[in-house]
Amino acid sequence: MKQSIQIFFVLTLFLLAPLSGCFGEEDETKPVAELEVDETQSMTAARGQFYTLSVESTVDWTISRSPGAFFQDEFGVLRDDVNYTLPASQTEITMLILDSERDTVELNITAGDQAWNATLMLEDSQDLMLVDGRRAYDTIDMLTSSYNNRWCGSASVHEGGAAYEAAAEAMAENMRGMGFDFVEVTRYDDDPDQLNVVGYNWGRVNPDEYIVIGGHFDIAYVFTPPGGGTNEGANDDTSGSTVSLEMAQALAQMEFDHTVVAGLWACEEEGLLGSLAYVAHLPENVSVKAYMNFDMVSLNYPIVPRTEPIIGPGGEIFSATRYDWSIDIAGASDENMNRMHDWVGQTIEDDLAYTPTEGNPIMWNIAESCASDHCAFFSEGYPTFNFFSPGGEISFWQEWHSPSDTLEFMTAKAGGEEEMASGFNSLVWSSLDLFIRVDNAEDFHGTWKE
């Protein structure tokens, strides 16, 4: 009997031997979570600049942030995720610190059962930022000094558009220097006067879906009602061209999932002709994910009206009680326009933490208007954000298509160069924030797809 048991035991071991790996110890043990963040690295970051944090972890790790920053992925694309998970092999995370009114950004890292928390202290940047109102002011100064009389070539009462064409070619060369993949001055066979200046930075994932920014580059020509035309058009719309160029110099150098398009539109003053021509000539396989329009945007938060009246170049007296900044949304389904409305709120109130007053309110609404180039886009079912901040109704009616629309007068209304630059700064940072949100948005499109 004893011998039989021994034989049975040997046979059992023989039969189970191939399965021993299933019941024995694993060949590879699960790594123990260890997390280390170099405590010697600075926990102070400059607003408007990139900041990199070094992290070592033996397992995949997740970083979380409070509002005021965007994480950058391994391809250089900015992500709007609040929680971002990285592999153990990645030892750095880079983020863009927004030029907000916040004093801190809270960071939290978890790796298995390990955790790390810190407060990133924010300080003003001593250098020019990724987008910067100070550089924007230099641009509007350059445009109103060197490229005046930008009257559309299809108008019949002036010099035929030579000054506009020279300025368009100069800005195209400027945009090529920014690093765009392709820049053109459009010359459509069926509409040769529409000399739009357009730069493209091809998207890495969806190159046939465009996110477009722009403002019209032409100004009101002689005899244009109601004011009789202008030489500078500082507010209408050299200011919008300025913001477009300031955005462009950053967007041209960055990576995005979708194609960046920066446009300076021709002949808006004659009926949105340049932007209408651009939309009409889009390639068949291309759609516009969103368009951001800048028209008469010189006086933005945090600028407030001056306490003393200002005398304009024509002897007019200017005295205002508030400078309005509005962002109107159109071109999408109710669901997607509500998303756009929420994005603006998150940008203004959370990310940038602006605190407007009765003197410089910021308003965002779902509304359609064909007063500027955004109409060319939302009329074709493309989502649009229209930025408008002329300085209140008094300022609007004094300057609109008028010789009084000068940079000197606009700067005086702002209270000086530094104040006007601060308004441009708010506009470019809010626009960049929204641009990033659109680039990250899934299942977002205009009514053209419905």
Side-chain angles (χ1 to χ4, degrees):
M1 181 65 180
K2 183 177 179 180
Q3 185 176 8
S4 299
I5 293 174
Q6 290 176 336
I7 293 172
F8 175 77
F9 181 71
V10 171
L11 289 173
T12 300
L13 289 176
F14 178 78
L15 293 171
L16 292 178
L19 303 176
S20 60
C22 299
F23 303 105
E25 295 184 1
E26 296 181 3
D27 292 334
E28 296 183 8
T29 58
K30 185 177 181 180
V32 175
E34 294 182 4
L35 175 65
E36 182 177 351
V37 180
D38 184 0
E39 299 293 341
T40 64
Q41 61 191 315
S42 174
M43 294 308 297
T44 300
R47 297 183 182 92
Q49 306 289 356
F50 287 94
Y51 172 84
T52 298
L53 184 68
S54 297
V55 179
E56 291 188 7
S57 176
T58 57
V59 297
D60 294 352
W61 50 284
T62 299
I63 183 168
S64 305
R65 61 166 179 82
S66 62
F70 288 120
F71 297 128
Q72 189 179 58
D73 72 11
E74 66 270 31
F75 303 105
V77 179
L78 292 171
R79 298 301 178 193
D80 63 357
D81 304 71
V82 174
N83 304 301
Y84 194 61
T85 299
L86 301 106
S89 59
Q90 186 158 336
T91 59
E92 289 184 338
I93 179 67
T94 296
M95 59 197 84
L96 174 63
I97 306 300
L98 305 178
D99 185 33
S100 71
E101 295 183 3
R102 295 187 171 279
D103 295 321
T104 62
V105 170
E106 300 297 327
L107 299 176
N108 172 261
I109 298 177
T110 57
D113 60 355
Q114 302 294 300
W116 175 87
N117 300 280
T119 298
L120 192 61
M121 305 300 297
L122 305 184
E123 63 182 10
D124 288 338
S125 176
Q126 299 303 308
D127 301 318
L128 286 174
M129 299 177 289
L130 180 64
V131 289
D132 200 306
R134 295 167 292 183
R135 185 168 43 225
Y137 189 88
D138 290 343
T139 297
I140 196 171
D141 187 29
M142 174 269 292
L143 289 173
T144 55
S145 299
S146 303
Y147 298 102
N148 289 327
N149 302 331
R150 299 189 312 276
W151 300 320
C152 178
S154 57
S156 59
V157 291
H158 55 77
E159 40 77 79
Y164 175 92
E165 184 172 6
E169 291 291 352
M171 291 308 104
E173 194 60 30
N174 186 355
M175 290 171 71
R176 291 185 183 100
M178 294 176 183
F180 279 101
D181 295 322
F182 176 67
V183 177
E184 64 175 339
V185 177
T186 60
R187 288 178 167 82
Y188 306 115
D189 291 339
D190 58 350
D191 204 351
D193 289 323
Q194 306 318 315
L195 305 182
N196 301 313
V197 185
V198 192
Y200 298 84
N201 177 7
W202 307 121
R204 58 174 305 276
V205 178
N206 301 299
D208 295 333
E209 293 184 17
Y210 292 177
I211 306 177
V212 188
I213 64 164
H216 69 88
F217 195 49
D218 67 315
I219 60 177
Y221 51 89
V222 179
F223 305 135
T224 301
T230 178
N231 297 104
E232 288 187 27
N235 200 12
D236 186 16
D237 184 33
T238 306
S239 64
S241 298
T242 293
V243 170
S244 300
L245 288 167
E246 179 57 24
M247 291 284 290
Q249 61 81 30
L251 299 178
Q253 304 173 55
M254 301 168 69
E255 293 290 334
F256 293 95
D257 287 343
H258 302 83
T259 289
V260 172
V261 180
L264 303 176
W265 312 123
C267 300
E268 187 268 359
E269 298 293 3
E270 295 178 51
L272 320 182
L273 300 183
S275 56
L276 285 168
Y278 179 79
V279 173
H281 289 84
L282 285 171
E284 290 184 4
N285 62 319
V286 164
S287 63
V288 175
K289 192 172 179 71
Y291 171 64
M292 297 182 184
N293 189 63
F294 309 105
D295 197 348
M296 299 186 76
V297 288
S298 286
L299 298 172
N300 308 282
Y301 173 91
I303 303 171
V304 294
R306 303 301 91 192
T307 56
E308 299 294 328
I310 301 169
I311 307 301
E316 61 272 61
I317 298 175
F318 175 77
S319 180
T321 58
R322 53 188 274 167
Y323 288 161
D324 305 274
W325 172 9
S326 66
I327 306 169
D328 287 343
I329 294 158
S333 65
D334 289 344
E335 178 183 357
N336 276 325
M337 285 196 294
N338 285 331
R339 290 175 70 186
M340 296 163 72
H341 189 274
D342 290 345
W343 291 338
V344 177
Q346 291 167 9
T347 294
I348 300 296
E349 297 175 342
D350 298 335
D351 284 351
L352 301 176
Y354 291 160
T355 54
T357 66
E358 291 184 2
N360 53 17
I362 306 173
M363 301 160 289
W364 49 100
N365 313 281
I366 295 175
E368 289 186 358
S369 164
C370 277
S372 189
D373 292 297
H374 60 296
C375 181
F377 289 85
F378 76 66
S379 295
E380 295 299 318
Y382 299 131
T384 59
F385 299 88
N386 182 50
F387 295 80
F388 182 62
S389 48
E393 288 192 13
I394 296 174
S395 178
F396 174 78
W397 288 108
Q398 281 183 341
E399 297 153 15
W400 191 31
H401 302 167
S402 163
S404 296
D405 189 3
T406 66
L407 179 59
E408 182 180 5
F409 195 20
M410 294 307 305
T411 303
K413 290 180 180 182
E417 294 182 13
E418 184 177 343
E419 287 78 7
M420 191 166 173
S422 72
F424 280 141
N425 199 70
S426 300
L427 186 54
V428 294
W429 277 101
S430 58
S431 302
L432 179 61
D433 191 303
L434 286 169
F435 194 101
I436 293 166
R437 291 182 180 278
V438 172
D439 188 52
N440 278 262
E442 297 181 357
D443 300 320
F444 174 76
H445 53 76
T447 55
W448 70 272
K449 200 173 182 179
E450 298 174 1

